[in-house]
Amino acid sequence: MEFFKGLIYKELKLTKNWFVVGIALLILGVVAGLGLTKYFNEPNIFAVVAVTILVGHGFYLPAYLLHSLNIEAQTQLWLHNPNSGAILFFAKLTAGFILYVVSFFIALVIAIWGLTHAVNGESLFNLTGEPVLNITLIGLGITLGTLFLGVWVLFYWSLFHSLKKVPFLHSIRWPIVIGTWILLTAIGNYVNNLPIYQKLKNIGIIKLDAYSIEFLVGKSSASAGFVDNAELSIMNGAIYTILVIIVFSASVWLLERKVEV
């Protein structure tokens, strides 16, 4: 357990500047929101900025991992490391999540404050019920989302660097990674639209008196918005948990057998 704590400490030490920059950007966004609110005398502006900062944390862990993994690739700090790939990756996820929680908690408090001081904050975001409950549930969804994206970052990073060992693929690593992403996305969309999967998703549905965030991605556009009647599916959660375990295991396998860092 001591070596795991040591790895986490190393991660936090290596990425402390990244964390400080992130907090500085958060504060800058808050100051800008307050400035615009005062300039236009419109309290709702700050609420919009605060919620935007909160939602933006969905990309926090993926960005952290890309930064941390890039350091590993440049410094080769993992070279001859006696620990398993699972431990190394899990330490990165843990350290990143610790920093995420700190930054996210600050953003959550700011967002709640912004909503409670906005003029008709519920109508502004089409929320029903208590704003604090809504924004907290949305925060939970963002947290699960950033963890999910973070695991996929580990996989694609491992895949990218594993191709170094294949001479004739070395120069086309980016097209291969992008092609893999497109293929897996297409497969995911196909499975998601299967009737049997739709039935599985409806097992263990828990309806919430709150709103959730929905992301829509089309061929030429993308949008995000709040959706009425947020739902939690126990079966869908179990499926995504299994998927995360599979993707994480594949990342570890690539790291231990194919990646040279």
Side-chain angles (χ1 to χ4, degrees), residues 123-146:
S123 299
L124 181 63
F125 294 100
N126 294 322
L127 300 177
T128 59
E130 177 60 38
V132 174
L133 173 62
N134 277 279
I135 206 69
T136 301
L137 290 173
I138 290 170
L140 176 61
I142 294 171
T143 299
L144 294 175
T146 198

Side-chain angles (χ1 to χ4, degrees), residues 8 18 27-28 48 51 63 104 115 121 145 158 162 187 197 202 217:
I8 294 177
W18 190 90
I27 295 173
L28 182 62
V48 172
V51 172
F104 182 78
L115 278 178
S158 299
S162 69
I187 294 174
Y197 183 74
N202 290 326
V217 180

